[in-house]
Every structure is written in structure tokens, then in C-alpha cells.
Amino acid sequence: MNFDVAVIGGGHAGIEAANAAWKMGMKTAMLVFDKKSIGRMSCNPAIGGVGRGQMVRDIDAMGGLMGHLADQAGIMFRMLNASKGPAIWGYRAQCDMDLYSKLAQAALQNLSGLQIIEGEATQLEREKDSWKIMVQSGLQIFCKAAVIASGTFLSSKMFTGLDKSSIGGRIDEPSSDLLALSLRKLGLRTRRLKTGTPSRIDYNSVDFSKCEAQSGDIEPRAFSSKSDAANLRNNAKCYITKTTKETHRILEAAFDRSPIFKGKIQGLGPRYCPNIEDKIQRFADKESHQLFLEPETENAHRIYLNGFHSSLPEEVQIEAMRTIPGLENAHVLQIGYDVEYDAINATDLHTTLECKKYPGLYFAGQVCGTSGYEEAASQGIIAGINAALKIKGKEPFLLSRADSYIGVLLDDITAMEWNEPYRMLTSRAEYRLFLRADNAEQRLCEKAYNAGILTEDEWKNYTQEKSRIDEAKKILSETSGAPEQIAQVLTSGNPITERAKWLSVLKRPGIKAEDFFALACPQVPLTRKEKQHILSEELYSGFFIRAAEEIANQQKMANFRIPQNFDYSKVNTLSIEARQKLSAAMPLTLGAAAKIAGVRAGDTAVLRRIFSTLPLCHCF
């Protein structure tokens, strides 16, 4: 069977990769163990969060699926950090995990010409300018570009206690050992990492009266521009409880039965999502740790015990669990476990997620050493876009730290070696005041449209939104309000005693957005998101003016292309170390070159002078 792009894996990375390649006109195949596993939320039944919510908005602005799927499957929507500045707001949706998976499957099945194939990839071989994927059934798939989105399934093993381990990357699903072996035979470096998932509890066995209830926002916000916030389902509740001293005592007494502490699990897990036993050891001074009881579906038959994932024996987990308020009679439907798996070293990839050693081979998701659905989906859309552009013979699609959280992610994982799964945090983005959820379209739509990933309808929606925003800002910059009018839209701060342009009023804290636009600009039918965007732009305008030159320079470096196969050894003005490091890394851009250890500022200046005189080097 012959395809342009073949995607191995149907998780969140695989979904976005297949959708992106298909939208760009590629004959695309997706190879999965089981079609019903596509889009499975194998861990937390939620999308978004602080930093991660911004990435979902970025994906949506580039024509991806995750945001719209989350809106359709969501059962509770909350804006995290809502009391703080909009730059660090975190869109989050608790989802019906079964519905999310069904919607993802339907979305892909509705893509005419996208072929979903069931089977296990056992071998990957390079054949001239294409790739051959061997399937366990004997089927052979030939493709011009391959995207490996294998999640946690490469040589994977699950642990619950020292004596109970099994082969697999997820409960009741196998490990992909032969594909892992094939990648190692190609000379790709791998490392062992770990993730985990907590127990699932019967909803009817929980005493919620002992827990703190947490509801969704009164006026929920949608992730996607394609969704209508008025149609969001928002009736589910989450609950908060805490571990106790007795919980800790029981867990500590069993540390000698922990696969982590006894060395059976070699891989490191996510720093910011540790096992409960790891938390207790690392934070020995804390008497309790907060836990979240989250419904996995709208009917709430199963509760996800967020914050209590563990690799300790089943009987220990259950005994400890029943010392937690509300869980005294908890009936466990599925015990928690850890998964150890192979991941590649993402420093062997370009920021396009193409393998430096093997053109046309891309990786995306947890196989690249990241954690989280959102990080995976972000990589998937980038890999899918770039695989398609590679086949078309066009310039790659590059994102920088200055234009998106996804750009931060790509830069971080390909420039630095991580010995633990990478998680996106707002603190990783130096331009986070600019990389807000409300301006994702303004940052990325035009770039995505020029690359060919946005449909004409998606582009039209963006241009209409931009037109409304521009019209409103023009009116606000040309008209003014009297002091008594301005007082009606301010909730705090010193009163204004003179007439002021409405646009300048937005720079003040404590603006009631709905009241403001109803009074100052009623003639433009702005959406809630568009109003928030205008308000945030003005609120942070001082920062942007100060940082504009730095951001422009960063973007220019990130987009300054280096010719393929450039011979650094012939540039005597570079240090010997720089020549060696650059020859090994073969960076795509000057920005990537500048991040290589051993490449000094003087070396970067030399490269810039050389490349600016070559016809193949350009910014785009």
C-alpha cells in the first residue's frame, strides 16, 4: 500500500498529525493497534490548564482538532488563574473521556481518503527516498514521510508493586517491542522514562459530603473558534480532598515494596506530576497533599483520583486510600500503576520534528520525551504540517519562542537533553505576556494559512474576526468618554476627572469588559473572546512596546534559514568546537545554531555574516 504520509499511533499526537497531513492534500494513513483506541484519554480526563490551555488555543488557530473536540466532549469548564492577569489564564475542560474518543474517531473517519489501518508496526526501513513500514499481519506500507506517534508503547512495561508487572503501555493494551527494536537498529538513541495513572473509583462509593465541591464557570469559555460557548455542557462537578497523616504512614511503611525506590523502574517520571509515594518522600514536612476527584464521563460512574497515582502494591494503595476523607468506603474499579517506556532523544530532531539523521522521518508526542495530551497534540500538528511540506518540496513550517507556546516546546525539547518527561509551564515562556490565549489567531492564523493548513472557511472566519477587531479599535482610538461614563466601567483605581480616549481607558485595571464595550463601542458586534483580546492588547501594550525589538530579533534568528548540508569545516573563522558541534547538529536556522552548546556569540555573528550573503539563506 502506498501513501504520501503514514502516521503510526492514534493518540493525540497521531490525530493531529494525520489531520494536518490530510488537510494539506496528502494521501494519508494511520496505523493503530485498535481503531477504538483512537483519542483515548488514558490518564487525566481533561484538556488544558495553565500553559497547556494556551497550546490548545495555538493548535486551534492553526486548524487543529483538539480544542473543538474538547468543547464537544467537555462536561465542566473552568478558567484557571482567572483572578490574575489574562496572560496566565488557563483554559481547562473536564471531558467525557468516552465521548472524546468517539468524537476523535468520527472526525478522522469523516476525512475522505484518510485510511485507518489496524495492526502493529513491527519494522521501519528506509528505501531510497521513501519508508517501508512492516505490519505484523504481513502488510507493507510505503510512504514518502512517516510520523512516529507511538506514545508510551515502545518497549513498555506496567508496574503495580514489586511482584506485579506486565508488558504493555496502557491497561489491556500491548507493548510495541519490535518497533522499538527497529528504531534502535536505525541508530536512533532512546532512553527510559516513566509515567503513571491513579486508581479509578466507583462514584457511588464516595462520600462527597466530606469533600469540597468545585463547579465550572458561570459563563464558560470555549477553546475553539469553531465552537459556540452557549452550547457548552457545564453541569459536572469535581471535588477536592486531602491525604492524612495515616495515609502517609501506610504508604511510607511500604516504601520497601516500591518499584521506584527499589530500582525496578529506572526511568524518571514527570517532575511536576510525581507519584504519591514520591511526594511524601520529597515533601516529608507536609502533613497532607491535595487530591482531586474528577468524573471520567458525564454519567460519573468512574472517578479519577488525580494526585494519587502510585506503583505500590494494590493492597497498599487501597488501604491508604481509605484513610482519605470521603474515600473510607471507596470501591476501586481500576488500580493505579506506573508505565516505563522508551523515548527517543529529541535533540536528534530538528524543530520541525524531522529526524536529523533520516529525512522524511518525524516523531511526535510522548515518544519525544514529553508528558501530557496537549504537548503531544502540539507536536502532532507540527509533524503533520512539515511532513506534507517536505513532500511538496516547500520550506518547513517553523515556530519560534516569540510566536507561540508550541514554539517554546519545540525549542526546549530539541535544544536541551531532558532526563524526565517535559511539561509545559508558563514560566518556560519568556514572552508569556505576549503569548496569550486570546491572541492565538492573531499570532498564528496567517502563518498557518500561508503554509496551506487552514481551509478557506477557517481563513475567512479569521479575517472577519480581524476586521471586527480593527474596526472596534479604530472607533475606540477616535472617540472619548466623559468622567461619569468612564466611572461606570471601572471597578477599582483612582477616578478619571477629564475626558479620555476609550482605548486609553482600557490600560487601566479593573475594567468591566461587557459594560465597557456596550458603552464605548456598541456598533461593532464583537464576541466575548474578541472583547477580551482588545482589552488584553491594551493592558499589555506597554510591555509589548518595550519587548518589540527583542521579539523581532528572536523571530528573525528563528526564521533565518541555513542551507542544507552546509560545510562548517571550511569556515576557519569559526572556533574548532563550533565547527564540530554545528556539523553534528546540522541546525535548520540561525536561532537553532545559537542554542548549541559550544557555539559562542562570536560564532553566531560569523554565521550571520556568511549566510546573509548566500542566495539560499533567507528569512520567511
Side-chain angles (χ1 to χ4, degrees):
M1 303 181 72
N2 293 284
F3 297 91
D4 293 321
V5 177
V7 178
I8 298 176
H12 303 282
I15 289 167
E16 297 295 350
N19 178 65
W22 179 88
K23 287 181 73 175
M24 296 183 70
M26 297 293 102
K27 184 181 180 183
T28 306
M30 173 184 276
L31 180 62
V32 294
F33 283 132
D34 179 357
K35 291 180 182 179
K36 292 180 181 178
S37 70
I38 292 173
R40 185 165 289 167
M41 304 181 88
S42 53
C43 199
N44 189 8
I47 297 293
V50 179
R52 287 174 165 178
Q54 283 91 325
M55 285 195 292
V56 180
R57 290 283 299 121
D58 286 354
I59 292 167
D60 189 70
M62 295 189 293
L65 293 172
M66 178 171 268
H68 193 45
L69 292 174
D71 290 338
Q72 292 175 288
I75 56 177
M76 189 185 94
F77 292 81
R78 289 189 70 229
M79 183 67 78
L80 307 185
N81 281 347
S83 63
K84 300 179 182 178
I88 55 171
W89 285 1
Y91 284 59
R92 187 182 189 277
Q94 193 73 26
C95 294
D96 183 319
M97 61 180 290
D98 294 341
L99 179 58
Y100 188 99
S101 182
K102 290 176 182 176
L103 290 169
Q105 293 163 35
L108 294 181
Q109 288 165 356
N110 288 335
L111 302 181
S112 177
L114 173 70
Q115 190 162 348
I116 301 174
I117 303 167
E118 288 186 322
E120 179 185 351
T122 59
Q123 194 168 335
L124 185 68
E125 294 180 359
R126 182 73 171 162
E127 290 205 348
K128 295 183 180 179
D129 294 329
S130 65
W131 289 92
K132 180 173 74 173
I133 302 169
M134 300 293 294
V135 184
Q136 192 174 41
S137 63
L139 179 70
Q140 295 184 10
I141 298 173
F142 295 89
C143 56
K144 298 172 185 175
V147 180
I148 311 298
S150 51
T152 63
F153 286 86
L154 293 183
S155 295
S156 54
K157 194 172 184 180
M158 297 180 290
F159 295 85
T160 303
L162 290 173
D163 303 320
K164 189 176 180 181
S165 63
S166 57
I167 301 300
R170 191 160 53 201
I171 194 75
D172 297 328
E173 294 188 46
S175 171
S176 186
D177 293 342
L178 294 175
L179 180 59
L181 178 62
S182 182
L183 294 176
R184 286 194 290 271
K185 285 183 177 179
L186 286 171
L188 296 173
R189 295 185 296 162
T190 60
R191 55 205 169 121
R192 295 296 275 176
L193 295 177
K194 179 193 78 69
T195 188
T197 190
S199 295
R200 271 62 163 188
I201 304 167
D202 186 339
Y203 177 90
N204 294 317
S205 69
V206 179
D207 183 354
F208 292 107
S209 67
K210 296 181 179 180
C211 307
E212 176 189 343
Q214 192 176 62
S215 300
D217 293 337
I218 295 173
E219 295 184 75
R221 289 176 170 85
F223 278 107
S224 177
S225 295
K226 296 184 282 290
S227 303
D228 184 350
N231 295 329
L232 299 178
R233 293 175 301 160
N234 198 35
N235 296 321
K237 287 184 179 181
C238 293
Y239 294 84
I240 300 173
T241 186
K242 291 182 178 182
T243 60
T244 64
K245 288 183 179 180
E246 182 63 9
T247 313
H248 295 195
R249 185 195 66 76
I250 293 169
L251 294 172
E252 285 176 336
F255 279 0
D256 61 345
R257 302 169 67 190
S258 165
I260 298 174
F261 298 150
K262 300 302 288 186
K264 283 196 74 172
I265 296 176
Q266 298 294 317
L268 289 179
R271 177 183 299 268
Y272 300 99
C273 188
N275 284 42
I276 186 64
E277 57 263 38
D278 194 25
K279 281 185 193 176
I280 291 170
Q281 186 185 64
R282 284 166 53 186
F283 306 104
D285 58 319
K286 287 188 174 292
E287 295 185 352
S288 67
H289 293 281
Q290 191 166 254
L291 306 174
F292 295 87
L293 307 180
E294 302 177 347
E296 289 194 324
T297 58
E298 189 169 30
N299 59 31
H301 288 165
R302 287 179 21 136
I303 293 293
Y304 177 93
L305 187 52
N306 194 348
F308 198 82
H309 81 264
S310 174
S311 63
L312 286 168
E314 180 174 357
E315 64 273 16
V316 175
Q317 291 191 44
I318 293 173
E319 183 185 1
M321 198 181 303
R322 289 178 175 165
T323 64
I324 297 169
L327 304 184
E328 293 87 350
N329 299 303
H331 173 55
V332 176
L333 300 175
Q334 177 186 305
I335 200 67
Y337 59 91
D338 271 356
V339 181
E340 189 179 38
Y341 59 96
D342 275 358
I344 66 157
N345 194 320
T347 57
D348 292 339
L349 308 177
H350 293 298
T351 54
T352 58
L353 298 177
E354 183 181 28
C355 183
K356 294 175 182 178
K357 188 175 182 180
Y358 294 108
L361 179 60
Y362 295 80
F363 290 84
Q366 285 185 272
V367 70
C368 294
T370 58
S371 69
Y373 307 144
E374 302 82 3
E375 287 90 343
S378 296
Q379 294 167 70
I381 193 170
I382 296 300
I385 292 171
N386 279 302
L389 291 173
K390 180 84 174 183
I391 292 168
K392 292 181 177 184
K394 295 186 176 182
E395 293 284 1
F397 185 79
L398 300 174
L399 295 180
S400 78
R401 303 183 72 87
D403 61 27
S404 62
Y405 269 86
I406 299 178
V408 173
L409 166 71
L410 297 171
D411 190 55
D412 280 352
I413 66 173
T414 60
M416 296 178 281
E417 293 198 8
W418 299 81
N419 61 0
E420 61 191 45
Y422 176 96
R423 177 179 179 176
M424 178 52 67
L425 306 167
T426 54
S427 59
R428 299 198 195 279
E430 56 269 47
Y431 304 116
R432 56 188 170 275
L433 298 186
F434 174 62
L435 306 180
R436 304 184 309 275
D438 67 83
N439 67 359
E441 287 81 10
Q442 287 71 25
R443 289 184 281 107
L444 296 171
C445 274
E446 184 172 0
K447 193 177 182 75
Y449 180 72
N450 291 337
I453 181 65
L454 287 192
T455 65
E456 290 300 326
D457 284 344
E458 288 169 333
W459 177 247
K460 182 181 178 181
N461 289 339
Y462 165 66
T463 56
Q464 289 176 342
E465 175 182 299
K466 184 176 184 299
S467 178
R468 289 191 296 270
I469 289 172
D470 289 345
E471 181 185 359
K473 291 183 76 170
K474 184 175 186 295
I475 292 170
L476 294 173
S477 66
E478 293 175 348
T479 59
S480 59
E484 60 273 19
Q485 290 177 302
I486 296 171
Q488 296 176 40
V489 299
L490 292 177
T491 60
S492 61
N494 295 324
I496 292 178
T497 57
E498 298 179 349
R499 290 190 70 88
K501 289 288 174 62
W502 284 117
L503 200 63
S504 68
V505 173
L506 285 178
K507 293 180 172 63
R508 295 175 64 92
I511 293 289
K512 293 183 285 187
E514 291 298 323
D515 293 347
F516 175 88
F517 285 100
L519 180 63
C521 191
Q523 60 270 57
V524 183
L526 296 168
T527 66
R528 186 185 183 194
K529 180 170 71 69
E530 290 162 2
K531 293 173 185 176
Q532 182 59 54
H533 168 66
I534 295 172
L535 191 155
S536 298
E537 285 284 289
E538 293 309 308
L539 183 64
Y540 291 112
S541 60
F543 156 79
F544 185 74
I545 291 169
R546 292 192 298 274
E549 184 177 353
E550 181 182 344
I551 291 172
N553 287 337
Q554 210 284 335
Q555 288 179 318
K556 191 172 182 179
M557 288 275 283
N559 292 333
F560 200 104
R561 289 279 279 115
I562 295 175
Q564 289 185 335
N565 302 318
F566 182 81
D567 191 351
Y568 295 96
S569 66
K570 294 181 179 179
V571 185
N572 295 328
T573 47
L574 291 173
S575 68
I576 294 175
E577 182 183 11
R579 277 178 264 170
Q580 292 172 342
K581 296 290 181 65
L582 288 163
S583 296
M586 294 304 296
L588 288 178
T589 66
L590 195 59
K595 291 184 176 296
I596 297 171
V599 177
R600 305 178 183 92
D603 297 317
T604 305
V606 168
L607 293 175
R608 187 159 195 161
R609 286 197 300 271
I610 293 172
F611 296 148
S612 63
T613 63
L614 297 178
L616 289 177
C617 300
H618 55 279
C619 297
F620 57 93

